[in-house]
Amino acid sequence: MAETTEKSKVEIAPIIGVGEFAEKLGVPVTKVIGELMKNGVMATINEQIDFDTASIIGSDLGFEVVAEPVAEVAAPVKEKLPEGEGTNRPPVVAVMGHVDHGKTSLLDAIRKTEVAAGESGGITQHIGAYQIKRGERWITFLDTPGHEAFSAIRAHGARMTDVAIIVVAADDGVKPQTKEAIKHAQEAGVQMVVAINKVDKEGADTNRVRQELSDMQLIPEEWGGKTVMVDVSAKSGQNLEKLLDMVLLVADLEDLRARPDGLADGMIIESHLETGRGPVATVLVQNGQLKVGDYIGAGGTYAKVRSLDDWHGKRIRRADPGMPAVVTGFKAVPAFGDVFKAVETEKEARDLAVGSQRQASIKSMVKVKKIDAAELTSAITAGNVSELNVVVKADVQGSLESLLDSLAGLKNEEVAIKVVQSGIGDISESDVTFAKAGNAMILGFNVSMGSVVKQLANREHLQIRLYKVIYELLDDLRDALSQMMKPEIIEHEMGKLKVLGVFKTTKTHVICGGEVTTGKVTANAQVRILRDKQVIGTGKVDNVQKEQNVVKEAVEGEQCGMNLTTDVKIQIDDRLEFYTTEEKARSL
C-alpha cells in the first residue's frame, strides 16, 4: 500500500466529543470508537476525549490533528502602565485580620454607618466594597472576612488590593488568621499598614503587638523599620484620620495609575442570584470606563450591562477606575475573583466565556489524569469510606466557594463529606427532590426556604439545617462525621500465664491450668494464645479457680486453673496473655 505523503489537517478544540470528532474527520463514528478501543480507551459517542488522545486516533486514521485557536481569556488586571501614562486612581484597600479584632467596626467608624450590627455573630460573611472620601481623594475599601473558613476569599481580596490594613487587637495580639492575612498580602506584593485596634480597652499592650509583628519581620517605623503602624480605637474614633492619611501616603509611594477611558477591565468581587434581577455581580473597575450597554466577559459567563449601581445602591451611568459597581445583565452568576473584560460586541463576550469554559474543562481533565498513588489507593478503597451526602445552598458565590473548600477538608481515611449538589439562592422544592434521591441532608448558609419547601421536606423526612455563621455549620458537620466513625478500641494489658496442664478440651471450651508470670488474671478477661511466640488464637476467661474454688483473680506467682471459651486446642507450655478492651468515641 502506498504511503500517504501528506495528511489532511483537522482543527479541533482541546476537549472534543467523540461524535463531533468523527464529524470533523468525515469518518463514521463507529470507526473512531473502534480506533479508541484499539488504544485501550472505552468511550461512547457522547463522551469527550482530550487533544492528545484525538491526535493519536486522528494520526492512525490518516489525519493531522491541530489545536484550533481559542479566544483569549482576560489577563490579570493589576497591570503596570508605562511611565507617564494614565491618571491617578483611588487606592483599593483590604481590611484583614483575625476574627473579632474589630475590622468591620473599624470600617463602620470610618464610614459612619452601622454595618457591624447586621453581621451574624459579629463576623463578616462575604466581601463588600465601599468608598469613602478623605479631603478631595477617594479610597475604595474591601471588607474581607476574618474567619478561617474564608481563607479563599481573603486570598482573592489580597490579589485585587493595593494596600492591606492589618487589624490587630491590642488586648489579644497576633493570631493565626492575622499571620495568614499577612502571608496573603506578602505573596500578592501588597503594601501593609497595621492598625492596632482597641487601644482603649483594658489589657491593651501595643508594645507587645509591635514585638510580635517584629518577630514576623514587620518592623515598625518608629523602631527603625518600614512598616507603618497606627494605634486606633474604632470605638472612640481615635487616630482614624491619621490611619487614612497613612493609607494614602503608602498608596502614593505605589504611584497608582489607570487607563481612564476606553473599554473597562477589572474583577468580580461578589456575585449572587437576586429575585427579579437575575444574576447580580459587584465588580471593581481597574481600567477604563464601564458603562450601561457594554458587553463584558467574566469567567465562564458574559453580560450586556443592563444596569449599574454604586455601593450606596444609587443608579449610575458609568463606573471609573478604582470604583466598585453593582452590575446586572449576566447570563449566569459569575465566580468571585474572576477577571472581567469589556469588548466591542456580544460575539466577542460570548467567545471569551466559551474560551474560559474550555480552559476550565481542560484543567478538570488534567486534574483527573494527575492522580498520584495515594489518591489511587484512596479511590480503590472508597467503599470503606462512609460519606455524608449534602446539598449546599448559599447566598453568594464567594461564600459558597469558601464553604465548599472548608467541607472538602472535613475528612479522614474513614469519613468524608460528599457534596451532591450546590448552588446560590434560597432552598427550593427541586433541592428537596434532589436531596431525597441522593439520600442527602440540605445545608443552607444565609438563605431561607418557603413554607411549601418546609412541608415537602417534612413529608420526605429530610433534614434541612440553616446557618448564619459558618463555623457553627462546620462544627455541626464535624460532630456528625465523628458519630459516623468507628470507636477507638483501647486495650489494657492485665497479665501473662504459662500453661502447665490441660485437663479438658471441647470444640468451644478448654479447661487448663498454669502459673501467672506477670500481672494478674480475672474472669471475663480477653485472652491471646501464643505458641513459640506466635499468636495462634484468642478467647475469653469464663472463670478462675484456686484449689477448686472459684475466685475473682489470681496474681503473679500464683498457680490457678481456668475455663476458657476458645476454639484453639491449647497445649502445655503455651503462653496466655490477658487483657481488657474499652471503646472510646473518636472525633474528626
Side-chain angles (χ1 to χ4, degrees):
M1 183 177 173
E3 189 175 316
T4 306
T5 55
E6 189 175 340
K7 294 182 177 181
S8 300
K9 279 190 179 181
V10 177
E11 285 188 352
I12 67 165
I15 305 294
I16 190 168
V18 172
E20 184 187 353
F21 182 48
E23 191 177 324
K24 280 186 174 283
L25 297 181
V27 300
V29 70
T30 51
K31 196 167 185 179
V32 172
I33 291 173
E35 289 297 326
L36 285 166
M37 290 175 68
K38 287 180 188 176
N39 285 273
V41 178
M42 304 299 292
T44 64
I45 186 172
N46 295 318
E47 289 187 83
Q48 293 187 319
I49 55 175
D50 61 16
F51 179 80
D52 292 340
T53 303
S55 298
I56 295 167
I57 302 306
S59 180
D60 290 346
L61 292 172
F63 296 88
E64 182 185 352
V65 177
V66 295
E68 67 180 24
V70 178
E72 185 183 350
V73 181
V77 292
K78 285 191 79 172
E79 58 184 88
K80 197 77 172 176
L81 291 175
E83 192 170 346
E85 289 189 19
T87 57
N88 290 330
R89 64 168 174 81
V92 178
V93 180
V95 182
M96 309 167 80
H98 190 73
V99 170
D100 197 33
H101 275 200
K103 298 177 302 302
T104 305
S105 298
L106 189 63
L107 269 175
D108 176 44
I110 290 170
R111 292 182 289 122
K112 300 292 190 294
T113 56
E114 196 61 37
V115 173
E119 302 285 5
S120 300
I123 298 175
T124 308
Q125 301 293 341
H126 51 77
I127 284 182
Y130 320 95
Q131 281 195 308
I132 63 106
K133 202 169 187 180
R134 173 66 176 152
E136 295 302 313
R137 299 179 62 182
W138 287 98
I139 303 173
T140 300
F141 279 91
L142 298 178
D143 182 12
T144 63
H147 189 269
E148 62 180 354
F150 289 91
S151 174
I153 295 181
R154 280 204 300 278
H156 281 277
R159 283 200 291 273
M160 59 183 88
T161 300
D162 302 309
V163 180
I165 295 178
I166 307 296
V167 181
V168 188
D171 63 329
D172 205 15
V174 174
K175 293 295 179 182
Q177 286 145 11
T178 317
K179 294 178 181 178
E180 189 185 354
I182 291 169
K183 179 185 173 187
H184 285 317
Q186 288 172 332
E187 289 176 350
V190 173
Q191 295 298 317
M192 284 177 277
V193 174
V194 177
I196 302 177
N197 193 24
K198 305 184 182 182
V199 294
D200 49 357
K201 193 172 180 181
E202 187 178 346
D205 188 345
T206 57
N207 282 328
R208 178 173 66 92
V209 173
R210 283 177 167 79
Q211 184 58 56
E212 289 175 349
L213 291 167
S214 297
D215 294 341
M216 297 182 65
Q217 308 308 310
L218 296 183
I219 313 296
E221 280 187 326
E222 57 267 40
W223 291 7
K226 296 182 179 180
T227 305
V228 176
M229 299 187 186
V230 183
D231 297 345
V232 301
S233 168
K235 188 175 181 180
S236 68
Q238 177 184 336
N239 280 342
L240 294 189
E241 291 186 351
K242 181 181 178 182
L243 177 65
L244 295 179
D245 290 338
M246 290 298 103
V247 167
L248 289 170
L249 181 63
V250 169
D252 286 342
L253 296 175
E254 291 291 291
D255 186 25
L256 302 173
R257 285 173 293 117
R259 176 171 43 80
D261 46 27
L263 294 171
D265 61 47
M267 191 171 279
I268 307 293
I269 56 177
E270 192 271 306
S271 59
H272 63 280
L273 201 60
E274 194 172 306
T275 305
R277 299 179 78 190
V280 177
T282 304
V283 305
L284 178 65
V285 179
Q286 295 274 16
N287 288 290
Q289 292 179 342
L290 183 62
K291 302 174 184 175
V292 173
D294 282 354
Y295 295 102
I296 57 176
T301 186
Y302 69 99
K304 180 179 181 181
V305 179
R306 190 166 64 237
S307 68
L308 280 173
D309 296 342
D310 67 10
W311 69 273
H312 288 292
K314 180 183 174 184
R315 194 59 55 92
I316 55 176
R317 297 296 299 172
R318 75 168 198 234
D320 295 316
M323 183 176 177
V326 179
V327 177
T328 64
F330 281 98
K331 299 295 181 184
V333 177
F336 94 107
D338 275 348
V339 171
F340 80 82
K341 185 175 182 180
V343 290
E344 295 284 357
T345 65
E346 184 173 9
K347 182 182 181 303
E348 288 179 84
R350 189 165 51 243
D351 287 347
L352 279 177
V354 170
S356 182
Q357 288 173 347
R358 194 167 284 163
Q359 286 195 359
S361 297
I362 294 166
K363 285 179 183 177
S364 66
M365 288 195 76
V366 168
K367 281 182 184 175
V368 171
K369 285 183 175 180
K370 292 182 178 177
I371 295 178
D372 62 24
E375 290 171 321
L376 191 58
T377 304
S378 177
I380 292 169
T381 60
N384 298 326
V385 177
S386 297
E387 291 180 325
L388 179 61
N389 294 340
V390 296
V391 171
V392 183
K393 298 297 291 287
D395 56 340
V396 295
Q397 186 72 32
S399 294
L400 179 63
E401 186 174 324
S402 290
L403 188 52
L404 295 178
D405 284 347
S406 298
L407 293 180
L410 288 180
K411 64 178 181 180
N412 62 14
E413 66 282 355
E414 276 187 54
V415 293
I417 298 286
K418 182 179 180 182
V419 179
V420 295
Q421 181 170 276
S422 63
I424 300 167
D426 289 341
I427 296 166
S428 65
E429 292 178 58
S430 62
D431 293 325
V432 175
T433 304
F434 195 93
K436 177 67 175 176
N439 192 27
M441 66 185 293
I442 299 175
L443 306 175
F445 181 65
N446 272 340
V447 297
S448 59
M449 60 177 169
S451 57
V452 174
V453 174
K454 191 172 184 179
Q455 289 170 9
L456 179 60
N458 288 337
R459 281 202 306 271
E460 299 291 356
H461 304 292
L462 266 181
Q463 276 195 75
I464 297 181
R465 297 185 183 178
L466 302 179
Y467 297 89
K468 292 289 186 183
V469 180
I470 194 170
Y471 62 75
E472 292 176 359
L473 183 155
L474 296 177
D475 285 347
D476 281 359
L477 287 188
R478 194 174 285 110
D479 290 343
L481 287 176
S482 297
Q483 291 174 24
M484 292 166 60
M485 293 167 60
K486 294 177 182 176
E488 180 183 0
I489 306 299
I490 300 175
E491 185 177 299
H492 302 286
E493 187 177 317
M494 293 182 63
K496 298 178 182 178
L497 176 141
K498 180 180 179 181
V499 177
L500 301 176
V502 179
F503 309 115
K504 185 177 180 181
T505 301
T506 67
K507 282 186 177 181
T508 58
H509 286 79
V510 172
I511 297 175
C512 62
E515 182 178 344
V516 181
T517 55
T518 59
K520 64 180 180 179
V521 54
T522 66
N524 297 318
Q526 305 292 316
V527 60
R528 255 189 306 270
I529 303 159
L530 291 84
R531 185 172 299 156
D532 299 326
K533 297 183 180 180
Q534 297 293 320
V535 177
I536 60 172
T538 59
K540 180 186 174 187
V541 180
D542 292 331
N543 62 48
V544 180
Q545 296 183 15
K546 286 194 292 188
E547 298 177 354
Q548 297 184 343
N549 295 318
V550 175
V551 294
K552 287 185 178 179
E553 62 181 32
V555 298
E556 184 176 337
E558 294 181 340
Q559 291 190 356
C560 65
M562 66 189 68
N563 190 339
L564 302 180
T565 298
T566 180
D567 56 4
V568 176
K569 289 188 168 74
I570 293 176
Q571 299 177 4
I572 292 173
D573 288 335
D574 283 350
R575 305 279 173 166
L576 306 184
E577 292 182 350
F578 305 98
Y579 62 95
T580 59
T581 59
E582 68 169 313
E583 292 186 353
K584 183 180 178 183
R586 295 162 61 210
S587 58
L588 191 63

